[in-house]
Amino acid sequence: MFVFKAAVVGAGTMGGQIAQTIAAAGIGVVLKDIDDALVQAGLDEARNVTRGQVGKLVEKGKITAEQAEQQIDQIVGRIHGTTSYEGFGDVDFVVEAVPEKMEIKQAVFAQLDESTLRPDKVVGFHYFYPASIMPLIEIVEGEETSAETVGAALTFAQAIRKQPITCAEVPGFVVNRILNSGTSEIWREQEEKGLSIKKIDDGLGGAGVIPIGPYQLINLLGLDTVLHVAEHLLESYGEERFYVPKGMQKLVAEGKLGAKTGGDGFYDPQGAPNISGDGEPDIEELVELLSLKTFLESCLVLEEGVATHRDIDFGMMAGAGLDPRRGLLPPFMRADSEGLDTVLERLENAQERHGERFAPPTILRRLVAQGRLGQKSGQGFYAYPQPDAEQPGEVIKLETREDGVSIAWLANGQMNSISPLLAGDLEKVWSKVKASGARALVIASSNPFLFSAGADIKAFTTMDAAAGERLIGETHALFKELGSGRIATIAAVNGLAFGGGCELAMACDVRIAARSALFGQPEIKLGIIPGFGGTQRLPRLVGVNKALEMNLVGDPALADEAFEFGLANRVVEDHELLDTALAWARKLAQAAPLALAQIKRISGAGDLDDGIEAEKRAFAEVFQSADAKEGISAFLAKRAPRFEGR
């Protein structure tokens, strides 16, 4: 499903901002509410947000004030306000943003269902407040939601420059459920011991575990919104795991909702607490309770199959501000850093002191029993490179294991881009692996959130034609070797495998995909074509029709879809990815080398060399085109390209 036009039902502050995020991405959007005044308020909010964003470009000298006004009018001009559903006939994607009252939501969906009657097309698309700033979207899969709909929602989220995670439909989804579980311990301690909320905020805000004090944060989000979620979670999961503070209930009843009511909430407008209590908090104890309960709830979300550990951590980073760049680690990454055996011991101690709500989760006990203790053992929830002392390159780390198995860890920055440096290092690593007598090589990512986001476009544009042609030829030769000869190659794909990253995975004999994996060939969106075998290996794996679709459309395929049409050999839970890939490597390393090489050589009959040569010629021709220059320039400038077919 492609989205050419969207709609937002509910034109409050949130609805206006949601509409603005869509319009700013160049997509037309209908903004609906029940009367003209509400619609206008939403349009005003969209204009104010746009003015703030564009104003920053003026301040930096990137555009003039006149150009800024043109941009504002252009973006807001894509939003059409209405009080009826008449303009929804050609809408491809509708976002519901009405107040958090079940009767209103049910009425809206009843009206929308009159025209759809397709439960497989319904998916959660959960923004975080403020929608214009927060990057996270939780894509929530209902019982009848189709894989195609989930994929369309994910692609749409990426198109509007948001960072999506996927999850099952449960109360609280991922981020709110985990946040509330951890914060419940703070609420409970404060009310039971009469602690000062100001001292709690100051202490926890400076302790390096959360970006802002919990009461300050709720003041910004709105006490009524947080209370609604807290009461829903208490009703859904029980008071042993969740807590609703009576002080917050009282303030909401008095209309003191925080920033939305002039700053009067947990604090009055002058900054004095509105909650009684002046006790001195034990910040170290509060940090322990908050951290352990946050981790524990994250484990329960994982064990229930609601989301992968990668999406849980990513959600807490993008939706709760736990940014490793600021020293704030999300739950699983933090546990791996501290040591899972240490975390288990802390939970057991907390269970003795506070009861069963701190009982260690099954998955933690299992990982510790397996010796997967986190960074110090090379594997916990995530896998960590344990590279050899001597390395042949810079951005690929070689790790030699037992049983004739080696691992090539991609370690080329945040995106793990396929750059000239990485291609050269891969050649060095491959040469050393061949010389070592290894029988199997796993190619994995040292980045816990992605495999490889594709080629380093900027690096390629700086090369002259001769150097570019030489690099492409050498990389093709290397990729051909990965899929031939006596060494079995296994790609362990986590997160994004786009463009050159997908082509690297396809060059391997076997692809093991984590549940969070996404495969895609998006080159056409830049005005170019796949340049490392994507037009030739992809049809050999998935068939001509599906390969043509993927290369022409450029949208990503989810892991289960990739498995269904043959791009992935297996799909496994994220925390089992490396174990599974290594098991395959050990199995294939036991195969007869000559037979293995011959099977690889003659499988998939058809002349790959001829196809590769055709692709190389086509890539060189297209890469020099005006459309390619425009597509790459637009990509680097983060704008929509304007192709002219030349």
Side-chain angles (χ1 to χ4, degrees):
M1 184 179 76
F2 309 121
V3 179
F4 301 105
K5 182 178 178 182
V8 178
V9 179
T13 299
M14 196 70 168
Q17 291 193 15
I18 291 173
Q20 192 273 343
T21 66
I22 298 170
I27 300 171
V29 55
V30 178
L31 180 60
K32 181 197 177 295
D33 216 308
I34 57 175
D35 64 47
D36 290 329
L38 293 173
V39 171
Q40 188 58 50
L43 292 171
D44 291 343
E45 179 68 19
R47 182 172 290 276
N48 291 336
V49 167
T50 306
R51 187 174 299 281
Q53 293 174 346
V54 174
K56 293 178 181 177
L57 299 178
V58 177
E59 292 174 7
K60 295 177 180 178
K62 294 187 175 182
I63 60 174
T64 65
E66 183 179 356
Q67 290 172 326
E69 289 302 318
Q70 292 174 348
Q71 280 195 29
I72 293 168
D73 290 341
Q74 190 177 54
I75 291 172
V76 180
R78 297 191 185 106
I79 306 174
H80 172 67
T82 181
T83 57
S84 73
Y85 287 102
E86 291 181 3
F88 280 57
D90 60 346
V91 164
D92 305 300
F93 198 95
V94 180
V95 179
E96 171 268 305
V98 299
E100 294 294 323
K101 295 183 179 179
M102 187 57 67
E103 63 273 16
I104 299 177
K105 291 183 181 291
Q106 288 176 334
V108 167
F109 275 96
Q111 291 168 322
L112 291 172
D113 279 347
E114 289 179 2
S115 59
T116 63
L117 298 175
R118 294 173 294 176
D120 60 304
K121 298 294 184 184
V122 178
V123 65
F125 201 74
H126 182 223
Y127 277 83
F128 285 73
Y129 180 80
S132 59
I133 296 174
M134 295 297 285
L136 182 66
I137 296 283
E138 288 179 327
I139 296 174
V140 187
E141 184 176 357
E143 289 185 5
E144 298 186 68
T145 306
S146 69
E148 181 184 13
T149 299
V150 174
L154 189 147
T155 301
F156 180 59
Q158 293 174 331
I160 61 175
R161 305 183 184 98
K162 294 295 184 181
Q163 297 171 1
I165 65 172
T166 59
C167 64
E169 185 179 9
V170 296
F173 307 143
V174 174
V175 175
N176 281 337
R177 172 177 164 181
I178 294 169
L179 275 178
N180 271 264
S181 183
T183 308
S184 284
E185 296 304 315
I186 307 302
W187 291 335
R188 195 189 307 264
E189 286 285 297
Q190 190 279 322
E191 293 198 335
E192 288 181 355
K193 298 179 180 179
L195 303 178
S196 163
I197 67 169
K198 178 71 166 60
K199 292 178 179 179
I200 290 174
D201 273 346
D202 291 345
L204 289 179
V209 290
I210 52 177
I212 185 175
Y215 296 96
Q216 293 171 324
L217 176 61
I218 296 168
N219 243 35
L220 295 173
L221 297 176
L223 274 69
D224 54 337
T225 302
V226 176
L227 178 63
H228 172 79
V229 174
E231 291 177 336
H232 180 50
L233 291 170
L234 176 69
E235 180 181 348
S236 301
Y237 298 109
E239 60 184 16
E240 183 68 21
R241 284 163 58 188
F242 289 88
Y243 184 85
V244 176
K246 299 176 180 61
M248 183 159 60
Q249 289 177 319
K250 181 175 181 293
L251 290 173
V252 171
E254 294 172 352
K256 298 177 180 179
L257 310 181
K260 65 175 71 174
T261 53
D264 200 11
F266 278 122
Y267 298 93
D268 67 21
Q270 288 71 46
N274 276 332
I275 294 289
S276 61
D278 56 6
E280 191 74 31
D282 182 340
I283 297 301
E284 186 175 335
E285 174 67 5
L286 291 181
V287 167
E288 182 75 348
L289 293 173
L290 174 64
S291 300
L292 290 178
K293 193 66 177 305
T294 297
F295 170 73
L296 181 53
E297 196 67 37
S298 299
C299 287
L300 295 177
V301 171
L302 176 63
E303 288 180 349
E304 293 168 16
V306 174
T308 67
H309 79 285
R310 178 262 189 198
D311 276 0
I312 292 168
D313 265 2
F314 193 81
M316 295 298 287
M317 289 167 58
L322 299 183
D323 187 345
R325 293 170 298 184
R326 299 170 57 192
L328 304 174
L329 299 180
F332 296 117
M333 195 177 290
R334 183 184 180 96
D336 273 359
S337 175
E338 294 177 354
L340 299 191
D341 51 343
T342 302
V343 175
L344 176 58
E345 183 179 353
R346 288 166 53 203
L347 277 169
E348 289 172 339
N349 291 335
Q351 182 183 13
E352 290 181 8
R353 290 182 287 121
H354 301 288
E356 289 306 303
R357 69 180 187 274
F358 283 96
T362 302
I363 191 168
L364 177 63
R365 291 190 181 279
R366 177 165 63 83
L367 292 177
V368 171
Q370 292 173 337
R372 291 174 53 172
L373 307 181
Q375 289 183 9
K376 60 187 176 185
S377 69
Q379 198 167 359
F381 286 98
Y382 296 101
Y384 301 90
Q386 305 283 292
D388 299 345
E390 294 185 7
Q391 290 293 318
E394 299 176 42
V395 295
I396 295 182
K397 305 301 182 184
L398 178 61
E399 178 179 346
T400 303
R401 294 271 183 134
E402 298 177 349
D403 302 322
V405 174
S406 293
I407 307 173
W409 294 95
L410 308 180
N412 191 22
Q414 284 189 323
M415 295 293 103
N416 255 340
S417 54
I418 307 298
S419 66
L421 177 59
L422 184 138
D425 275 7
L426 185 58
E427 172 63 43
K428 295 174 185 176
V429 167
W430 181 245
S431 296
K432 187 165 184 178
V433 169
K434 288 190 294 183
S436 73
R439 304 278 289 276
L441 175 68
V442 174
I443 298 179
S445 171
S446 62
N447 184 323
F449 298 113
L450 57 80
F451 181 72
S452 170
D456 186 343
I457 297 297
K458 186 177 291 187
F460 281 100
T461 59
T462 62
M463 303 178 72
D464 60 36
E469 183 177 355
R470 184 168 59 253
L471 174 66
I472 290 175
E474 291 171 351
T475 305
H476 271 297
L478 174 60
F479 280 18
K480 180 183 176 182
E481 275 202 58
L482 295 178
S484 61
R486 301 183 180 190
I487 299 175
T489 52
I490 299 96
V493 181
N494 62 309
L496 304 181
F498 284 177
C502 185
E503 290 169 306
L504 172 58
M506 288 191 291
C508 295
D509 302 322
V510 174
R511 285 151 299 284
I512 308 299
R515 196 156 300 282
S516 66
L518 285 173
F519 295 84
Q521 298 285 166
E523 287 89 347
I524 194 167
K525 296 182 179 181
L526 308 184
I528 59 177
I529 70 170
F532 292 127
T535 66
Q536 301 302 307
R537 290 189 177 89
L538 189 57
R540 285 166 167 78
L541 291 169
V542 307
V544 173
N545 287 343
K546 188 62 183 180
L548 188 62
E549 174 192 319
M550 290 184 67
N551 282 326
L552 287 179
V553 175
D555 286 346
L558 298 166
D560 286 336
E561 185 182 7
F563 172 70
E564 182 181 334
F565 54 69
L567 181 51
N569 295 77
R570 294 290 187 276
V571 177
V572 300
E573 298 304 323
D574 283 49
H575 60 281
E576 301 292 347
L577 176 62
L578 185 63
D579 281 344
T580 305
L582 287 172
W584 275 75
R586 291 177 62 192
K587 176 67 175 178
L588 295 179
Q590 296 171 1
L594 287 176
L596 182 140
Q598 290 296 340
I599 290 171
K600 289 169 64 172
R601 185 181 69 81
I602 63 176
S603 292
D607 196 325
L608 177 61
D609 288 345
D610 286 349
I612 291 294
E613 288 303 315
E615 179 182 279
K616 287 163 63 177
R617 291 191 296 271
F619 180 84
E621 180 179 340
V622 173
F623 197 81
Q624 298 300 319
S625 70
D627 271 2
K629 292 180 174 62
E630 164 61 16
I632 292 168
S633 297
F635 171 75
L636 296 175
K638 298 180 180 178
R639 61 173 175 80
R642 296 178 290 274
F643 297 127
E644 298 180 3
R646 58 186 181 85

